[in-house]
């Protein structure tokens, strides 16, 4: 064996009881699992005494925003230190492939708050396949920190085919969108995402989305929508996605499936009943959540959809016009804009977590309400000024969640874990650095919401099954040696809202393809991550 892990408490990802075993790794795969004390002992070039540590499959982050972070940061400790060995990129309908030059420029502006402006990146790709190839040959051909799969972003596809217009597509434009989705699937994407509260993806009708989902179904891919409302109308929005994908014959994975805002307090059982009814009727559904109550997005995302037509430059023009800006304020504060999920904005819940313009750093860590009060002005005046001066690059924490909803949803039979981790900003959401140890430590060990074995299954085999990965997600002979060794008694998220970039504790070893990316609690220089492509066999 290249490596033998002796006397580990194996939590194999099935959800079944843990057991003691020696695990042998050869050529990047689990070659043998043998009960401890059996003779002869497994021989290995290297032997690691687990000392009672738990050995689990590598964790799969079903909702990641590391699309550029993996290209710029070889260490990527935000995820590697959590035990994440695979991230799913291309989320919320906006990412960097497939594009042409015009679309790429617009996307870079639109999601600066998620990933930075990309001025440090050589965008030498245009197609999905070329982006995946770039991941593989990054850092001088060594690869990337952790593995990555990709969802085709529907908003980017729409932008590529018909610009940033709020109208139905022509027959030719719809055909082009379907072609782009098919090409992306053939090039290795695992499905398609949408951001249906983000422009321009939100301009798509259900019939348009269903046409694209029918393409996904031909390739056994899945649809991952950030649906049309997580606030007022949330249940109807969930039902809309369930019905749409059932009509199209496509698998559905609900992104960051929360029930937020005051209108949804105590309504998690209603969502779960809706999903159970669909599952019992034969629907193929899964979901992901992060184990925190606040959400995180960009400040511009709160604006009404009509304000976003034409793209970022058009938004800034509208914000600078007094009459139009007043209409935007009215929709935000009185009507409840679709960008804010149909709920009038509460400025005391909107905390600035990051800015692109360093001159605006004083806003970080403060709510819009607090800054406005200190300046003696209305909150909208503060928000509008920040949007313009930061050129829409500001990120926010939105403190609108409910703990009881978080706990009930994470128990569900199709639940998986996803960080939704935005790594940009001076004060990012702690979920970017803490989601997976937070599940293991706070929710499994401390609160007993799930058993440790159940929790590991939610973070490993369930997402692997959704991704159709037949050799990941379990500690099983023949599977890839993407593995995590953690201490069940001490594992915990170090990140907090005050110190969001603090690394977790209790995760001393992480392996990808049998190579240590975390060893003795520290990041090694190993770049074992690769693009994980959809294939006929998966």
């Amino acid at each position: 064996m290249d490596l033998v892990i002796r006397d580990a408490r194996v939590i194999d990802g099935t959800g079944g009881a843990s057991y003691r075993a020696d695990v042998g790794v050869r050529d990047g795969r689990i070659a043998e699992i043998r009960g401890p004390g059996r003779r002869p002992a497994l021989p290995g070039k290297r032997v690691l005494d687990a000392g009672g540590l738990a050995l689990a499959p590598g964790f799969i982050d079903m909702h990641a925003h590391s699309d550029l972070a993996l290209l710029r940061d070889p260490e990527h400790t935000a995820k590697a230190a959590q035990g994440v060995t695979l991230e799913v990129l291309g989320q919320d309908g906006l990412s960097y492939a497939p594009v042409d030059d015009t679309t790429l420029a617009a996307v870079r502006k639109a999601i600066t708050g998620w990933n930075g402006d990309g001025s440090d990146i050589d965008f030498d790709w245009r197609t999905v396949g070329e982006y995946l190839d770039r991941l593989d040959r990054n850092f001088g051909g060594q690869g990337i920190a952790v593995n990555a799969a990709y969802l085709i972003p529907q908003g980017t596809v729409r932008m590529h085919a018909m610009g940033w217009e709020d109208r139905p597509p022509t027959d030719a434009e719809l055909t082009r969108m379907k072609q782009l989705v098919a090409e992306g699937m053939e090039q290795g994407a695992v499905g398609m995402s949408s951001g249906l509260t983000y422009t321009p993806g939100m301009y798509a009708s259900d019939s348009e989305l269903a046409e694209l989902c029918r393409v996904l179904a031909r390739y056994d891919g899945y649809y991952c929508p950030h649906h049309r409302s997580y606030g007022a109308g949330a249940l109807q929005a969930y039902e809309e996605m369930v019905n749409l994908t059932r009509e199209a014959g496509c698998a559905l994975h609900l992104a960051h499936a929360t029930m937020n805002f005051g209108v949804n307090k105590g309504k998690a059982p209603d969502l779960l009943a809706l999903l159970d009814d669909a599952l019992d009727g034969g629907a193929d559904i899964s979901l992901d959540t992060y184990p925190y109550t606040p959400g995180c997005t960009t400040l511009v995302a709160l604006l009404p959809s009509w304000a976003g037509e034409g793209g970022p430059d058009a938004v800034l023009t509208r914000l600078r016009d007094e009459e139009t800006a007043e209409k935007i304020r009215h929709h935000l504060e009185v009507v409840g804009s679709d960008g804010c999920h149909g709920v009038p904005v509460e400025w005391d819940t909107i905390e600035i977590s990051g800015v692109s313009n360093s001159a605006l750093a004083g806003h970080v860590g403060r709510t819009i309400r607090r800054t406005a009060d200190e300046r003696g002005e209305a909150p909208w005046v503060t928000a509008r000024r920040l949007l313009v001066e930061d050129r829409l690059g500001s990120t926010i924490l939105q403190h609108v969640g409910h703990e009881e909803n978080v706990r009930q949803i994470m128990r569900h039979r199709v639940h998986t874990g996803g960080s939704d981790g935005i790594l940009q900003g001076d004060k990012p959401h702690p979920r970017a650095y803490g989601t997976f140890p937070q599940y293991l430590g706070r929710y499994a060990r401390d609160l007993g919401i799930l058993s440790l074995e159940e929790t590991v299954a939610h973070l490993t085999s369930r997402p692997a099954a959704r991704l159709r990965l037949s050799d990941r997600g379990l500690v099983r002979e023949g599977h890839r040696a993407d593995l995590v060794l953690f201490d069940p008694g001490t594992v915990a998220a170090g990140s907090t809202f005050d110190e969001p970039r603090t690394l977790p504790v209790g995760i001393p070893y992480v392996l990808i393809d049998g190579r240590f990316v975390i060893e003795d609690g520290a990041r090694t220089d190993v770049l074992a991550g690769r693009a994980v492509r959809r294939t006929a066999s998966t």
Side-chain angles (χ1 to χ4, degrees), residues 74-298:
E75 293 193 354
H76 199 48
T77 51
K79 296 301 178 66
Q82 293 185 61
V84 171
T85 58
L86 172 60
E87 298 185 272
V88 185
L89 313 177
Q91 299 287 349
D92 295 328
L94 290 166
S95 188
Y96 307 94
V99 292
D100 55 17
D101 291 351
T102 300
T103 303
L104 176 60
V107 170
R108 287 176 59 181
K109 289 180 181 179
I111 53 177
T112 292
W114 295 356
N115 300 308
D117 64 9
S119 57
D120 56 338
I121 301 293
D122 178 10
F123 289 89
D124 58 352
W125 69 85
R126 292 297 180 268
T127 69
V128 170
E130 289 169 352
Y131 174 69
L132 298 177
D133 289 343
R134 171 63 186 279
L135 295 175
D136 284 342
R137 61 180 172 80
N138 206 54
F139 299 115
Q142 296 181 77
I144 49 178
V146 304
N147 296 310
Y150 190 75
L151 294 166
I152 303 160
Q154 171 260 330
T156 302
V157 165
R158 197 176 206 270
M159 198 187 315
H160 194 342
M162 55 181 294
W164 217 294
E165 299 180 42
D166 182 3
R167 61 171 175 81
T170 65
D171 289 346
E173 290 166 342
L174 181 58
T175 297
R176 179 58 177 151
M177 283 190 272
K178 292 164 67 175
Q179 179 185 22
L180 288 168
V181 172
E183 289 173 354
M185 294 301 294
E186 290 169 1
Q187 292 164 8
V190 295
M192 181 183 75
S193 74
S194 280
L196 299 179
T197 63
Y198 300 129
T199 56
M202 62 162 32
Y203 300 144
S205 66
D206 284 1
S207 60
E208 178 182 324
L209 295 171
E211 285 295 304
L212 302 183
C213 285
R214 290 187 180 95
V215 177
L216 296 177
R218 296 205 308 264
Y219 294 93
D220 201 20
Y222 69 92
Y223 181 43
C224 179
H226 165 128
H227 52 269
R228 298 191 193 276
S229 175
Y230 288 81
L235 284 173
Q236 292 90 334
Y238 281 113
E239 186 174 15
E240 175 190 9
M241 295 298 102
V242 169
N243 292 339
L244 185 156
T245 50
R246 292 192 76 176
E247 177 190 347
C250 176
L252 172 65
H253 180 85
L254 296 166
H256 38 59
T258 59
M259 291 291 286
N260 287 342
F261 301 91
V263 294
N264 289 317
K265 185 176 176 61
K267 290 188 177 180
D270 298 333
L271 167 61
L272 301 181
L274 168 67
L275 299 181
D276 283 335
D277 183 62
L279 288 162
D280 292 344
D284 184 359
I285 301 173
S286 55
L287 59 89
D288 66 67
T289 69
Y290 46 84
Y292 299 88
T293 50
C296 178
T297 186
T298 56

Side-chain angles (χ1 to χ4, degrees), residues 381-514:
V381 175
T382 301
R384 179 188 174 193
R385 180 187 300 112
L386 185 56
L387 285 163
V388 172
E389 293 182 1
D390 206 25
R391 297 193 60 81
L392 314 182
S394 305
T395 53
I396 63 170
L397 301 181
Q398 196 166 12
H399 296 271
V400 293
H402 306 287
E403 179 67 18
E404 66 272 25
N405 285 349
V406 170
R407 295 185 186 189
Q408 290 185 62
I409 293 169
M410 73 170 61
R411 291 191 185 104
H412 195 263
R413 53 177 159 153
V414 296
H415 171 265
T416 68
S419 71
D420 197 10
I422 294 174
L423 301 172
Q424 288 294 117
D426 295 320
K427 195 182 176 189
H429 196 303
R431 67 195 185 191
Y433 284 73
T435 287
F436 295 86
Q438 181 85 336
Y439 270 119
L440 298 169
R442 173 170 168 74
Y443 284 94
R445 181 191 61 234
D446 298 342
L447 297 177
I449 302 301
L450 295 164
S451 72
L452 193 58
E453 290 83 358
E454 289 173 319
T455 303
V456 168
H458 287 223
L459 307 181
T460 59
S461 63
R462 287 190 185 180
R466 165 53 68 220
L467 296 170
R468 309 289 195 245
L469 301 177
S470 59
D471 62 351
R472 300 177 194 264
L474 295 169
V475 179
R476 180 171 290 172
E477 291 178 1
H479 276 48
R480 290 184 180 273
D482 294 353
L483 300 168
V484 181
L485 280 155
F486 67 92
D487 184 343
T490 64
V491 63
S495 60
T496 65
F497 286 98
D498 289 331
E499 299 292 338
R501 287 193 168 89
T502 305
L503 297 178
V505 297
I507 306 179
Y509 300 100
V510 181
L511 298 93
I512 295 179
D513 267 5

